[in-house]
């Protein structure tokens, strides 16, 4: 292993590194820079430049902060939350004809329910709260 590589390796030891959220933030950062460079052709505003620069700076800071973070459990939870959001969207779309998704009013758990007409009662499997669901 080269000297630089081993230094980098030692530096990254015990740190979080990259994940899906990190990759998406990086893509968002690149897109932002790209779109901004195109928009500056049409928009001549210091305020606009400043705002975009601040956003991209904050984004870059957040990307590096997560990468070098030692709080691995917390970063992992962030990533799971992020991935879960998209998985839910995807599933909602996939079985939109057969199922509906409703939030339990008590524990906020998201329930996947088979589609049916009229008013129904549902018991939440997590907190056993009974609530009505209308017009699925
Ligand atoms: Zn519940």
């Amino acid at each position: 292993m080269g000297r630089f590589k081993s230094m980098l390796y030692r530096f990254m030891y015990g740190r979080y590194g990259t994940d899906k959220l990190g990759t998406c933030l990086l893509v968002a950062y690149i897109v932002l820079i790209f779109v901004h460079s195109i928009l500056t052709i049409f928009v001549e505003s210091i305020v606009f430049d400043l705002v975009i620069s601040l956003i991209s700076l904050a984004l870059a800071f957040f990307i590096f902060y997560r990468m070098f973070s030692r709080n691995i459990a917390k970063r992992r939870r962030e990533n799971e939350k992020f991935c879960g959001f998209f998985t839910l969207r995807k599933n909602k779309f996939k079985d939109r004809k057969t199922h509906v998704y409703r939030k339990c009013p008590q524990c906020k758990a998201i329930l996947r329910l088979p589609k049916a007409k009229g008013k129904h009662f549902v018991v939440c499997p997590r907190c056993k709260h009974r609530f009505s669901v209308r017009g699925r």
Side-chain angles (χ1 to χ4, degrees):
M1 219 188 285
R3 202 173 152 177
F4 178 71
K5 211 171 166 188
S6 78
M7 253 165 69
L8 190 73
Y9 196 79
R10 205 175 304 159
F11 178 71
M12 284 309 288
Y13 182 78
R15 291 175 198 265
Y16 187 65
T18 53
D19 59 10
K20 216 167 186 177
L21 173 58
T23 310
C24 286
L25 286 171
L26 191 67
V27 170
Y29 176 77
I30 293 163
V31 169
L32 186 71
I33 298 287
F34 182 70
V35 169
H36 180 222
S37 65
I38 290 173
L39 283 178
T40 45
I41 301 167
F42 309 103
V43 185
E44 265 185 77
S45 160
I46 295 167
V47 178
F48 174 74
D49 281 347
L50 200 71
V51 168
I52 298 288
S53 300
L54 278 175
I55 293 170
S56 54
L57 199 70
L59 205 57
F61 180 79
F62 188 55
I63 291 166
F64 281 110
Y65 171 78
R66 290 190 78 253
M67 223 184 238
F68 301 137
S69 171
R70 290 182 190 276
N71 194 345
I72 289 166
K74 199 174 172 192
R75 299 287 88 80
R76 215 166 259 168
R77 270 201 305 278
E78 276 170 7
N79 188 50
E80 270 162 26
K81 224 172 175 180
F82 175 75
C83 293
F85 176 80
F86 286 104
T87 306
L88 181 66
R89 296 283 124 144
K90 205 172 78 190
N91 290 342
K92 254 186 188 172
F93 183 76
K94 208 170 67 192
D95 46 43
R96 66 190 180 281
K97 285 194 176 120
T98 54
H99 290 80
V100 289
Y101 289 77
R102 289 285 182 275
K103 205 184 244 178
C104 168
Q106 191 158 291
C107 73
K108 309 288 180 236
I110 293 161
L111 312 178
R112 182 175 177 266
L113 310 165
K115 236 177 185 172
K117 275 183 181 141
K119 197 177 172 183
H120 296 268
F121 280 96
V122 177
V123 177
C124 173
R126 196 159 95 182
C127 69
K128 308 292 177 223
H129 178 66
R130 193 167 180 268
F131 63 99
S132 68
V133 180
R134 197 193 294 264
R136 286 188 239 154

